[in-house]
Every structure is written in structure tokens, then in C-alpha cells.
Amino acid sequence: MQLSDLEKVVALEHDVFPDPWSFNAFKEQVEDDGWGGFVVESTSGIIGYACYFIAATEAHLTNIAVSEEFRRKSVAKLLLDNIFKVVKEYQCEFLLLEVRPSNKSAIAFYEKYDFKLLYQRPRYYHNPLEDALVMVHYFEYDREQ
């Protein structure tokens, strides 16, 4: 993800989420150390994106979205696979994310990647008001090398 992608990323964000991130939130993702992101493009433009944050041995999947017409076509899988590669390069111990309890398809997707429920964060989302499920995926490394 680059600054030049942000206008299209923000447009997709507004199409997908009822409480979308601002342009400046994505700009921070692109410009600040520890943050990063990926986009997937087709002939119609950006069809998906994912953002992450890494601090020490912790990683956070901050945002992931796929255009409705491209869902269930492995776009989210491609994005998450790329996030996993980065997280492993940094040898992070785990990857966290938040998801709405009402977003059953996203929860099922994350569970396929061995994400487990860690805890529930009350009143995290605002439009509409909803808790967040905090999920985690743990990584193991051979540290004896």
C-alpha cells in the first residue's frame, strides 16, 4: 500500500464498513514505522487491502477488506498470507485482530487460520454500537538456530 493508493482504499473502506477509517488513519498506516499494508488490484482497480502494525514481538491486523463482488475468491486469503509472511519475518509471537460478533463470515474466515477468541472488548464499534471480539493467532519458531 502506497500513498497513491489511499483514495481508492478509502473509497473501498466506505463501501465495506459502516464506521470507516479516515484518509488520515490510512495515511498514518503508510507513513509511520511499524505500520504497513497491502492492496490487491484487478482491472477494475483496488479490490482489497489489509493493514498491520508491528511493535516488538506483537503484531496487529488493523484492517482488512475486500470488495463485495470479489469475496470468496481468495482475495482475503492472499492478503492474510502476506500479513503472515511479514509477521513471521519479524518473528512476532502473535497476531491480534478485532472483529464484530455479528460478522459471522469474517469470524469463520479467521478461525480457518487458527485464530482463537482471546476476549471481548465492550462497546468497541460505534456505528452501530457493538462489542469487538479480540482474536489471536500464535506463531511458534525454532529458537535454537
Side-chain angles (χ1 to χ4, degrees):
M1 184 179 297
Q2 302 173 10
L3 280 174
S4 60
D5 297 324
L6 295 189
E7 190 174 306
K8 293 175 184 168
V9 166
V10 171
L12 179 54
E13 172 83 357
H14 282 261
D15 287 345
V16 172
F17 295 110
D19 56 347
W21 284 17
S22 68
F23 179 90
N24 285 336
F26 282 103
K27 188 171 185 264
E28 181 178 316
Q29 299 267 322
V30 171
E31 294 180 338
D32 289 356
D33 290 340
W35 297 86
F38 297 100
V39 297
V40 175
E41 295 183 84
S42 77
T43 54
S44 60
I46 292 176
I47 60 169
Y49 60 87
C51 303
Y52 62 88
F53 177 72
I54 295 176
T57 60
E58 300 177 10
H60 194 117
L61 177 63
T62 59
N63 209 333
I64 185 167
V66 175
S67 176
E68 189 171 352
E69 65 195 86
F70 289 95
R71 291 183 192 155
R72 304 202 186 283
K73 296 182 180 181
S74 298
V75 175
K77 178 186 182 319
L78 176 65
L79 289 162
L80 193 55
D81 286 345
N82 279 295
I83 299 287
F84 273 24
K85 286 178 189 173
V86 171
V87 168
K88 289 176 182 177
E89 284 174 16
Y90 282 87
Q91 294 200 344
C92 294
E93 295 174 10
F94 54 85
L95 176 63
L96 293 168
L97 61 85
E98 291 91 12
V99 62
R100 288 178 181 270
S102 62
N103 193 344
K104 303 297 185 196
S105 61
I107 293 166
F109 172 74
Y110 296 133
E111 287 174 340
K112 286 181 190 176
Y113 276 87
D114 202 29
F115 280 87
K116 306 290 184 209
L117 177 63
L118 195 57
Y119 60 90
Q120 192 159 327
R121 184 172 287 149
R123 304 171 61 89
Y124 181 78
Y125 296 103
H126 299 289
N127 184 21
L129 185 63
E130 189 171 1
D131 294 350
L133 301 179
V134 178
M135 299 182 77
V136 62
H137 175 97
Y138 292 100
F139 296 91
E140 294 185 26
Y141 304 96
D142 182 6
R143 305 270 186 205
E144 296 183 24
Q145 295 178 350

